[in-house]
């Protein structure tokens, strides 16, 4: 019996996919934990960063800026332990789409801001140039991780897997 490249790929995917899911889950967890952790110490700065986008009233931006680090930390913890993975991936995807749209909007309107994704953010000092394209590409990469987890949320070494009781390889998703 000859094995074609297509057949070999079909055999390898079920064995590799769960471990790619672990990598996606832990990678996205690290992103949210770092992003939330860097902002939680200065919630006022986080509010100023959201306000810098100039799309929401100041009071609303301040509240969102104060809540966002806790949402990011919660998503990071859920993904780290692998609990409610599909839900966490869906919320992650929605947030990342909002972030990409916000950065693109700031870029299109000629604003000179730091996105605030991994720190305080806000208006850039005179002479500093924003780096919108790398920020958008980075967030699209994170969105790809969330999309993978939306499609295949069950991974080894996860609370979801432990609660389901069935090996990840046996599931038909």
């Amino acid at each position: 019996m000859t094995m074609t490249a297509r057949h070999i790929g079909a055999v390898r995917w079920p064995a590799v996919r769960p471990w790619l899911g672990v990598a996606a889950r832990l990678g996205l967890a690290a992103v949210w934990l770092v992003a939330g952790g860097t902002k939680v110490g200065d919630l006022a700065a986080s509010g100023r960063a959201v306000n810098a986008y100039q799309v929401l009233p100041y009071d609303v931006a301040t509240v969102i800026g104060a809540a966002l680090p806790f949402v990011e930390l919660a998503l990071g913890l859920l993904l780290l332990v692998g609990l409610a993975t599909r839900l966490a991936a869906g919320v992650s995807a929605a947030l990342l789409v909002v972030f990409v749209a916000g950065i693109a909007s700031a870029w299109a309107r000629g604003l000179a801001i730091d996105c605030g994704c991994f720190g305080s953010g806000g208006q850039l000092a005179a002479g500093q140039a924003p780096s919108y394209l790398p920020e958008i590409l980075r967030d699209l990469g994170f969105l790809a991780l969330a999309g993978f987890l939306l499609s295949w949320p069950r991974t080894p070494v996860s609370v979801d897997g432990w609660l389901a009781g069935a090996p990840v390889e046996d599931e038909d998703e």
Side-chain angles (χ1 to χ4, degrees):
M1 173 175 146
T2 22
M3 300 272 281
T4 64
R6 179 181 229 171
H7 180 68
I8 292 170
V11 171
R12 287 187 186 160
W13 177 246
V16 172
R17 187 213 32 88
W19 297 104
L20 288 175
V22 169
R25 184 170 55 82
L26 295 178
L28 200 52
V31 166
W32 290 130
L33 290 171
V34 170
T38 58
K39 289 182 255 188
V40 80
D42 190 356
L43 298 179
S46 185
R48 286 190 302 275
V50 173
N51 190 52
Y53 286 89
Q54 301 175 14
V55 293
L56 298 168
Y58 179 80
D59 292 339
V60 175
T62 301
V63 170
I64 289 173
L68 189 58
F70 297 104
V71 171
E72 291 171 338
L73 289 171
L75 289 171
L77 290 173
L78 286 172
L79 290 165
L80 182 65
V81 300
L83 178 62
T85 303
R86 183 171 274 153
L87 174 64
V91 173
S92 295
L95 273 176
L96 289 161
V97 167
V98 169
F99 294 165
V100 168
I103 295 167
S105 170
W107 191 5
R109 292 180 291 134
L111 300 178
I113 63 171
D114 177 357
C115 76
C117 301
F118 294 97
S120 59
Q123 297 293 332
L124 291 175
Q128 285 186 306
S131 58
Y132 295 127
L133 183 59
E135 291 168 354
I136 289 171
L137 294 175
R138 177 201 62 212
D139 286 355
L140 289 175
F142 298 154
L143 184 58
L145 295 178
F148 187 95
L149 292 172
L150 277 168
S151 296
W152 297 287
R154 287 263 318 281
T155 60
V157 194
S158 69
V159 173
D160 287 341
W162 176 75
L163 290 173
V168 173
E169 294 80 18
D170 293 345
E171 72 182 19
D172 186 19
E173 292 192 74

